[in-house]
Amino acid sequence: MKLIPIRPVKKGEALLVHSEDHWDKVQAIKGMTDQEMANSADYYEQLSLYIMQGTTRAALLSCGGVIEACLAVARGELQKTFAIVRPPGHHAEPDEHMGFCFFNNVAVATRVVQQLTPIKKILILDWDVHHGNGTQRAFNDDPSVLYISLHRYEQGTFYPCGPFGGMQSCGEGPGLGYSVNIPWPESGMTDADYIYAFQKIVMPISMEFAPELVIISAGFDAAEGDDLGECHVSPAGYAHMTHMLAGLAGGRLVVALEGGYNLDSISRSALAVTSVLLGEAPEALPPMVAGEEATETVFLVAREQSKYWKSVDPKACQPREGLEEISFSIPEVLKAHRQHYLYTQHDMMQIPLLTPELEKRFSTQISCTPDIFENNTMIVFLHEFGNLRMQLQSSATLNVEMERSYLLDFSKELLTWVKKEQYSLLDANLFPKPASNPTRTKASEDFGKDILIYLWDNYVQLSGARNVILIGHGPGSRPIMDLLERRTTSVMKSVKAVVQIIGHSNVPQTPKYIDDLTEWYRKVGLLHELHFTSLLMGPTEFFRCTSVHA
């Protein structure tokens, strides 16, 4: 990590976007007396501006800081930068300061980069909860800059108000089609809504545009906890959006701070974004589905933008709402197929769950063989789906070529082995059905822990099994570690082997706080990182190679 020295914006740089009259207005603030500021308070209030003697210097430094962050990336000195500056800039228009913004930091930096470096094609992605009217205005007729904004709009009644931030405001002249507005019709938008818009609109258009530099106007007022923005984007949501954008322009990415009114929300969100800039993977998001308002908005935007971009397919964005009676989600189709397979091929029965919440999220996903209470050896298998191998028609549209896509499910081999060895099986698919309100639900990991404890207390413990093998696949590994610590005595008595096939999941922590449990786990536990050769290896060969026996 490197600290980039900040400096004031030069007049010649600012005039690449702003008028000389605008420059003079900002400069004049530093010479105003307290009385003059008091007399002009109503004028600045109407522009949503708050000033003091230090305003001019702060505005100059903020704009200069974003310029330096962009030049460092454009010149190849750094791959990614984060300009943590205030005041913000995206509301400042070429002739007017407004909305807490004095100079349009990102717009000025974009023009400086185009003037001083070989980079000409630049994407500006604005996820501030307000439309960046100043930024779009600066490039409205310029096809070298693609401006995309996701913001609350509410039929033009949300700040900065008016039709300029509407979905039909797509640029003008040579720049027609190079302004993309995704205008949310209400507050309360979530990670699912933003990620959906990225998948259907932002990324296809961005990939078709093929920028040489990406700049994020990163306002964090759509973040969870911001009372003005009233939306629910999590730090992980911002991290995932950053991660997707980092795949463009050869990884050349600049993040410039814009708005935000809750310091805790800004801090958590900015930290998550910074982690991605430093090369860390985003935190996993729970299963989620975009809301009706979001899917309808994205469909309408896709219909508008398909006039200008080949990669945008309105049919692929057709909302599912209204079609529920004749439609099924892919996960539910796959679950139904697996339930049918388990019943017809292995005589397995569905296990009822204890609470309405668990039943709602995991019904039909927990099954057992008929001999579960009599068999002396039981396999407890916790997993999610197998690996979906999807063939895409195009990397820009992300549309799936169904005939060449398939589910790779190694559990079929395991089930065949269990049947051959005449063991009983308790099978739990821990991939939950989507929550109706994803902002108020448990994490999938917590559900998995609750389910395994319930199964252990009500089925495994009451069975005649004296030899129990616990197998965790992917996210199914963590609930097993929780079980070891919460049911230590009974687990150590009956469990003869613990197999953790982690795949791409995080490695579960070895029990640490109970000495007997730690020593026991070292004897019976196996941690296996799944790779392709493991998929080709049957369960018999797997257990022989890893020396784990019941």
Side-chain angles (χ1 to χ4, degrees):
M1 189 179 296
K2 178 181 178 182
L3 183 65
I4 302 172
I6 200 169
R7 64 161 176 88
V9 61
K10 302 171 186 176
K11 181 178 180 179
E13 294 171 330
L15 295 186
L16 293 173
V17 171
H18 297 288
S19 66
E20 187 153 3
D21 179 64
H22 180 94
W23 171 268
D24 292 339
K25 282 191 293 187
V26 178
Q27 288 291 337
I29 296 173
K30 66 182 178 183
M32 295 175 66
T33 65
D34 291 342
Q35 187 59 51
E36 288 172 331
M37 289 187 182
N39 293 340
S40 59
D42 290 343
Y43 165 74
Y44 285 109
E45 177 72 25
Q46 291 175 357
L47 294 171
S48 296
L49 293 172
Y50 300 90
I51 63 169
M52 56 179 291
Q53 277 80 7
T55 294
T56 299
R57 177 165 172 78
L60 293 170
L61 288 172
S62 181
C63 189
V66 176
I67 291 172
E68 287 300 308
C70 290
L71 286 175
V73 174
R75 289 169 172 163
E77 299 166 6
L78 295 169
Q79 184 77 357
K80 296 174 176 63
T81 58
F82 195 157
I84 305 173
V85 296
R86 283 292 174 87
H90 72 148
H91 291 310
E93 299 201 346
D95 297 310
E96 190 61 273
H97 46 9
M98 59 185 292
F100 310 128
C101 303
F102 295 88
F103 295 114
N104 197 309
N105 305 329
V106 165
V108 173
T110 296
R111 286 302 190 211
V112 172
V113 166
Q114 289 180 322
Q115 186 178 72
L116 299 183
T117 76
I119 287 178
K120 306 304 176 188
K121 293 180 68 178
I122 297 176
L123 163 64
I124 300 173
L125 186 286
D126 190 338
W127 66 42
D128 191 288
V129 80
H130 303 95
H131 175 237
N133 56 293
T135 308
Q136 181 175 339
R137 190 83 65 188
F139 305 108
N140 209 37
D141 60 354
D142 186 349
S144 71
V145 177
L146 172 63
Y147 175 73
I148 305 178
S149 177
L150 305 93
H151 52 270
R152 279 179 66 182
Y153 182 63
E154 299 172 28
Q155 296 182 325
T157 63
F158 195 72
Y159 190 88
C161 303
F164 196 47
M167 66 182 67
Q168 293 178 329
S169 177
C170 302
E172 59 187 11
L176 186 61
Y178 291 88
S179 290
V180 180
N181 286 311
I182 304 173
W184 300 131
E186 62 183 16
S187 60
M189 310 310 287
T190 66
D191 287 339
D193 303 324
Y194 275 78
I195 297 299
Y196 182 75
F198 259 66
Q199 292 172 336
K200 298 298 184 181
I201 303 293
V202 175
M203 295 310 296
I205 292 178
S206 297
M207 293 179 73
E208 185 175 343
F209 177 69
E212 299 167 294
L213 174 67
V214 177
I215 304 174
I216 302 176
S217 274
F220 292 112
D221 37 10
E224 179 73 54
D226 192 296
D227 293 335
L228 193 150
E230 297 182 301
C231 289
H232 305 289
V233 181
S234 71
Y238 283 117
H240 277 268
M241 290 189 285
T242 305
H243 191 261
M244 284 187 269
L245 293 169
L248 302 168
R252 290 183 291 274
L253 177 63
V254 178
V255 180
L257 188 62
E258 294 283 1
Y261 306 91
N262 182 307
L263 291 178
D264 288 337
S265 298
I266 294 171
S267 301
R268 289 192 295 268
S269 302
L271 178 60
V273 168
T274 303
S275 296
V276 173
L277 298 184
L278 294 175
E280 296 183 19
E283 179 184 334
L285 289 168
M288 56 190 183
V289 176
E292 182 177 353
E293 296 294 342
T295 54
E296 180 68 23
T297 299
V298 168
F299 169 64
L300 294 174
V301 172
R303 201 164 61 177
E304 186 68 34
Q305 291 299 325
S306 64
K307 302 172 185 176
Y308 315 109
W309 301 97
K310 296 178 181 179
S311 58
V312 178
D313 181 6
K315 293 181 180 179
C317 303
Q318 183 79 37
R320 186 183 173 196
E321 284 71 27
L323 303 175
E324 289 89 346
E325 294 184 1
I326 58 172
S327 66
F328 301 92
S329 70
I330 297 301
E332 295 312 304
V333 171
L334 294 175
K335 288 176 185 178
H337 164 74
R338 195 168 195 278
Q339 181 189 18
H340 176 74
Y341 172 77
L342 293 177
Y343 174 71
T344 57
Q345 301 298 315
H346 298 279
D347 299 320
M348 295 182 69
M349 305 174 295
Q350 178 183 337
I351 289 180
L353 296 172
L354 183 63
T355 67
E357 185 177 26
L358 289 178
E359 190 67 33
K360 185 176 180 180
R361 301 295 300 278
F362 294 92
S363 63
T364 74
Q365 295 177 213
I366 317 296
S367 302
C368 67
T369 52
D371 60 346
I372 188 172
F373 288 110
E374 295 81 25
N375 202 308
N376 190 52
T377 300
M378 180 190 300
I379 308 297
V380 180
F381 180 38
L382 288 89
H383 58 94
E384 284 195 350
F385 282 116
N387 296 311
L388 279 171
R389 299 293 174 88
M390 313 298 284
Q391 179 75 39
L392 299 180
Q393 294 175 353
S394 164
S395 61
T397 64
L398 302 182
N399 292 333
V400 176
E401 190 171 345
M402 298 299 296
E403 294 80 2
R404 301 193 179 195
S405 303
Y406 54 91
L407 177 70
L408 191 62
D409 186 0
F410 94 100
S411 70
K412 282 191 173 183
E413 289 282 330
L414 178 66
L415 294 171
T416 302
W417 172 75
V418 170
K419 188 174 184 178
K420 177 183 176 182
E421 298 293 331
Q422 299 184 339
Y423 298 152
S424 66
L425 175 65
L426 185 55
D427 180 278
N429 180 344
L430 299 181
F431 189 88
K433 296 178 176 64
S436 56
N437 185 352
T439 63
R440 298 182 181 179
T441 188
K442 288 183 179 180
S444 300
E445 180 181 315
D446 294 329
F447 276 123
K449 294 175 181 178
D450 293 344
I451 286 175
L452 183 54
I453 289 293
Y454 168 73
L455 295 175
W456 182 266
D457 291 344
N458 295 279
Y459 289 88
V460 180
Q461 283 284 81
L462 300 180
S463 74
R466 295 297 173 262
N467 301 305
V468 178
I469 300 176
L470 302 177
I471 303 178
H473 180 250
S477 298
R478 285 188 176 274
I480 290 178
M481 306 311 292
D482 180 72
L483 174 72
L484 300 188
E485 295 187 350
R486 293 172 64 182
R487 297 293 187 269
T488 301
T489 301
S490 57
V491 165
M492 291 175 61
K493 182 178 179 182
S494 56
V495 172
K496 306 306 179 187
V498 180
V499 181
Q500 305 279 45
I501 306 170
I502 61 172
H504 298 294
S505 302
N506 293 328
V507 178
Q509 292 287 334
T510 303
K512 295 179 179 179
Y513 304 109
I514 305 173
D515 292 340
D516 291 346
L517 177 62
T518 303
E519 184 61 31
W520 172 86
Y521 183 73
R522 286 174 180 161
K523 293 179 181 178
V524 305
L526 169 71
L527 185 66
H528 188 76
E529 185 173 353
L530 186 65
H531 48 77
F532 187 71
T533 55
S534 304
L535 296 175
L536 301 179
M537 187 186 301
T540 303
E541 291 82 359
F542 176 84
F543 278 96
R544 184 185 301 121
C545 291
T546 51
S547 301
V548 174
H549 305 283

